[in-house]
Amino acid sequence: CMGGAVYYGDSNVVTSGDSRVNSAGSYLSLDVTSSGKPVIVYYDGDNETLRIAYSTSAKPSMTDVANGRDTFTRQTISVPTDRGTFEDVAGGTYVQAKIDPKNNLHIMYRDSKGQICYIKSKSDKDGNGPDGGAYTFEDPMVIETSGTYGTLSVMNNNDTYVPCVAFLNS
């Protein structure tokens, strides 16, 4: 990522999607798509769920609504269940997020049961993320049943992007 900016002042820069919560930001991770669009994954302490805020602009402006502020959307992350329905991710502390060169979003987090979990968005070609609407996710995977925090990276294996995690086992 080249360049950057720090924004001060307005506390509600996201104008569409899920409603704003008061307890957010104590756990978060930020990455950018291959075209430089920011994606923030964070823990919503009010609802104890995992959320995303993403922009359709590579240069969002927090002060100029017409040129960036209105490009941000908030989304609560929902995952498939074995019952054929979707449910919000329970928990989301110690979150780490990475976007691979194909713009798939990889997320590692600690769930409400204290487990270290991993989820991946479905392919960007399926209309996920900043240019295609809300992210959709594949089935979650439990990495470890008792862990705290860790790190996530995504390694390239012949154009297949494989998550690599390290974490503290409690």
Side-chain angles (χ1 to χ4, degrees):
C1 175
M2 298 183 65
V6 176
Y7 300 103
Y8 297 97
D10 198 342
S11 64
N12 190 17
V13 299
V14 181
T15 59
S16 63
D18 289 349
S19 62
R20 180 177 177 211
V21 295
N22 292 319
S23 181
S26 57
Y27 301 97
L28 62 92
S29 187
L30 166 72
D31 205 354
V32 294
T33 66
S34 59
S35 59
K37 296 170 183 170
V39 177
I40 305 164
V41 181
Y42 64 96
Y43 177 64
D44 165 0
D46 287 357
N47 298 296
E48 298 179 353
T49 59
L50 201 54
R51 287 180 141 197
I52 305 170
Y54 59 89
S55 177
T56 56
S57 173
K59 296 181 181 180
S61 167
M62 299 303 114
T63 56
D64 184 354
V65 174
N67 292 310
R69 183 174 166 191
D70 60 343
T71 66
F72 272 94
T73 300
R74 272 188 295 261
Q75 173 191 341
T76 301
I77 298 177
S78 295
V79 293
T81 69
D82 57 1
R83 299 176 306 278
T85 60
F86 287 85
E87 63 185 25
D88 295 345
V89 167
T93 58
Y94 302 106
V95 62
Q96 293 282 306
K98 299 290 180 192
I99 299 174
D100 68 32
K102 293 183 179 179
N103 290 324
N104 295 309
L105 178 57
H106 301 258
I107 302 171
M108 181 179 75
Y109 62 96
R110 184 174 187 221
D111 73 4
S112 62
K113 297 176 185 174
Q115 303 176 122
I116 300 294
C117 299
Y118 167 81
I119 53 174
K120 177 186 167 204
S121 70
K122 292 186 178 179
S123 172
D124 187 53
K125 68 179 176 53
D126 295 330
N128 275 290
D131 292 324
Y135 278 98
T136 55
F137 289 89
E138 297 176 353
D139 291 337
M141 175 190 305
V142 174
I143 298 170
E144 177 62 48
T145 58
S146 61
T148 53
Y149 57 88
T151 63
L152 167 70
S153 75
V154 180
M155 302 177 70
N156 184 352
N157 182 14
N158 296 322
D159 268 352
T160 300
Y161 296 95
V162 179
C164 181
V165 300
F167 56 90
L168 176 63
N169 181 314
S170 58

